[in-house]
Amino acid sequence: AQSVSQHNHHVILSEAASLELGCNYSYGGTVNLFWYVQYPGQHLQLLLKYFSGDPLVKGIKGFEAEFIKSKFSFNLRKPSVQWSDTAEYFCAVNGKNTGGFKTIFGAGTRLFVKA
Amino acid sequence: GAVVSQHPSWVICKSGTSVKIECRSLDFQATTMFWYRQFPKQSLMLMATSNEGSKATYEQGVEKDKFLINHASLTLSTLTVTSAHPEDSSFYICSARLAASSYEQYFGPGTRLTVT
């Protein structure tokens, strides 16, 4: 079945460590890609998005993601995490082939950063 | 930025009663709003797409008679959980699309429903 896959369900890092969260999707055609963050007790916030153009996208709070079309991937990265990055991260995709541009979410990755 | 609010933020109700959850776009008009459900430690599952002035489109497996959606204005969509059961306990999140041609959604803070 077509889906959005996030490979890591739980990640634990120490402060200053580098972060990479994997996201793969299986929808063909043109897609729009998103990473959202949900801090404890708060609502979803958009970290970054890719619609077209430069496949390396920079978002808020020092996050970036790279769209690799050949690998159907949109991995999220941050060179040096902080304790305040502890949150759940969701990759999401929409496009013509997700069913009328509906946004499909991955299962989420829960990140815990140790101080 | 675009702000979406939900009311109430949490609600407890008894089995068999109905609960209404409101989703409002505060500083923009939203022709399309979406309702999601998020179980603990799981992802967001799209329940339905709410279009202003027309019937909502429900995802497969979602009972439209149980989850009534009304999008009466460009800034308000409501989700009513009818005859609630404990298994309906969940986190309900709405989002709004800024414009008909936009692929970007803005999310509300969610409503936690507990059915006892």
Side-chain angles (χ1 to χ4, degrees):
Chain A
Q2 295 185 316
S3 65
V4 179
S5 300
Q6 291 183 239
H7 315 298
N8 313 99
H9 296 295
H10 292 92
V11 173
I12 301 174
L13 294 173
S14 297
E15 275 196 313
S18 64
L19 169 73
E20 180 159 5
L21 302 182
C23 174
N24 286 89
Y25 61 94
S26 60
Y27 300 95
T30 302
V31 291
N32 305 302
L33 301 155
F34 307 84
W35 274 98
Y36 289 92
V37 61
Q38 189 173 30
Y39 296 103
Q42 297 188 30
H43 63 280
L44 280 167
Q45 298 176 40
L46 181 67
L47 267 182
L48 46 79
K49 61 191 177 189
Y50 173 80
F51 289 168
S52 64
D54 188 342
L56 185 61
V57 180
K58 294 196 182 297
I60 61 171
K61 305 187 181 188
F63 287 91
E64 65 178 31
E66 184 175 12
F67 170 51
I68 302 179
K69 188 174 181 179
S70 61
K71 295 185 177 180
F72 294 84
S73 70
F74 190 56
N75 292 353
L76 180 71
R77 298 195 292 249
K78 185 171 184 179
S80 177
V81 294
Q82 301 173 316
W83 176 80
S84 57
D85 293 323
T86 295
E88 188 150 20
Y89 294 81
F90 294 95
C91 178
V93 176
N94 70 29
K96 185 177 180 181
N97 291 328
T98 62
F101 291 97
K102 294 173 188 173
T103 299
I104 309 300
F105 285 81
T109 297
R110 198 172 290 267
L111 171 66
F112 180 72
V113 180
K114 297 184 291 185
Chain B
V3 179
V4 176
S5 70
Q6 281 184 243
H7 178 80
S9 55
W10 63 274
V11 58
I12 302 172
C13 71
K14 293 184 177 180
S15 279
T17 62
S18 296
V19 175
K20 181 185 283 188
I21 302 170
E22 293 184 348
C23 176
R24 292 181 186 274
S25 56
L26 297 186
D27 50 1
F28 67 100
Q29 293 184 329
T31 55
T32 304
M33 290 182 171
F34 303 90
W35 286 96
Y36 293 85
R37 188 171 179 178
Q38 185 180 26
F39 289 106
K41 298 183 181 181
Q42 294 188 31
S43 188
L44 280 74
M45 299 299 296
L46 180 64
M47 297 176 66
T49 302
S50 169
N51 297 296
E52 187 268 337
S54 64
K55 290 183 179 180
T57 305
Y58 290 82
E59 294 301 299
Q60 193 172 12
V62 177
E63 299 174 61
K64 62 180 180 181
D65 294 331
K66 180 169 185 60
F67 298 100
L68 300 178
I69 291 172
N70 186 298
H71 195 157
S73 78
L74 286 170
T75 59
L76 173 65
S77 175
T78 59
L79 168 68
T80 301
V81 183
T82 62
S83 187
H85 288 118
E87 56 265 31
D88 298 325
S89 299
S90 189
F91 197 51
Y92 293 88
I93 302 172
C94 75
S95 70
R97 202 154 66 183
L98 191 59
S101 60
S102 173
Y103 303 127
E104 196 168 336
Q105 299 173 58
Y106 295 88
F107 287 84
T111 296
R112 185 163 301 283
L113 170 64
T114 301
V115 184
T116 60

